[in-house]
Amino acid sequence: GQQLNQSPQSMFIQEGEDVSMNCTSSSIFNTWLWYKQDPGEGPVLLIALYKAGELTSNGRLTAQFGITRKDSFLNISASIPSDVGIYFCAGQLKAAGNKLTFGGGTRVLVKP
Amino acid sequence: EAGVAQSPRYKIIEKRQSVAFWCNPISGHATLYWYQQILGQGPKLLIQFQNNGVVDDSQLPKDRFSAERLKGVDSTLKIQPAKLEDSAVYLCASRPIKDDSNYGYTFGSGTRLTVV
């Protein structure tokens, strides 16, 4: 089946730093989504990407949909403490009833 | 607008017991999903409903899992009998039929199941 590989699996941030994570897939997706999940909560959508090569920003977040439709990256600029959480990429395929296939997540933690 | 409501928040059961989870989607959302999220992994779709019909249950372990959405509104997911590997968070999500942007795709807070 389809698999999404996210990297890194975890990372430490210091306030003010820029953060980058990416996601690759063995399959093509129509839409690529980035979610954030806080402890005890469901995932919340941050950014949606619809076209190959598309670069989209939402505040301090920037994400790009790869040209091949098999990869994406998410950047967070000038990180703040509330950026801590788990970030998931998800691919969506119209032919599969628009169901979401999630990556394994990138856990963002604060440097001690 | 009220979000997706799920109950209970937590459940601990012994293996071989049965358990049921309940989900009330956002009013007017025709599509409802159940996801299983094992600790340290991303959510995995179990079943998708549109109104009261099943759209996709290809990843639902049907020998022990069942789900229904009889009136096309709220839904229940049942596990009988439970196994240790069923320990996970069960997330419900709902979405309006017309949601090209995906920003209407809303998750509940989940039910955390521990099987001992």
Side-chain angles (χ1 to χ4, degrees), chain A residues 45-103:
Chain A
L45 182 61
L46 299 173
I47 287 184
L49 301 159
Y50 309 103
K51 298 178 185 176
E54 179 181 354
L55 183 71
T56 295
S57 292
N58 179 6
R60 294 178 299 103
L61 306 176
T62 302
Q64 184 159 30
F65 197 167
I67 291 290
T68 63
R69 291 185 170 272
K70 291 185 177 181
D71 63 297
S72 175
F73 71 75
L74 174 71
N75 286 342
I76 307 172
S77 62
S79 57
I80 59 177
S82 61
D83 290 334
V84 164
I86 305 178
Y87 292 79
F88 290 100
C89 61
Q92 187 179 52
L93 203 54
K94 285 181 185 174
N98 286 314
K99 79 173 187 184
L100 299 180
T101 301
F102 282 85

Side-chain angles (χ1 to χ4, degrees), chain B residues 78-91:
Chain B
K78 296 179 182 177
I79 308 175
Q80 181 180 13
K83 293 185 176 180
L84 295 177
E85 60 260 35
D86 298 332
S87 294
V89 174
Y90 290 85
L91 293 163

Side-chain angles (χ1 to χ4, degrees), chain A residues 31 33 35 37 40-48 50 58 88 92 96-105 107, chain B residues 9 33 35 37 39-45 48 55-56 58-59 91 95 100-103 105 107-110 112:
Chain A
T31 302
L33 308 164
Y35 285 85
Q37 187 174 26
E41 300 297 329
V44 173
L45 182 61
L46 299 173
I47 287 184
Y50 309 103
N58 179 6
F88 290 100
Q92 187 179 52
N98 286 314
K99 79 173 187 184
L100 299 180
T101 301
F102 282 85
R107 185 180 296 269
Chain B
R9 285 281 282 159
Y33 309 81
Y35 284 83
Q37 186 175 22
L39 186 65
Q41 299 182 16
K44 185 186 82 171
L45 180 69
Q48 176 184 346
V55 173
D56 182 355
S58 57
Q59 297 188 84
L91 293 163
R95 185 173 185 229
D100 295 335
S101 72
N102 285 295
Y103 282 92
Y105 202 135
F107 284 84
S109 297
R112 180 177 295 277

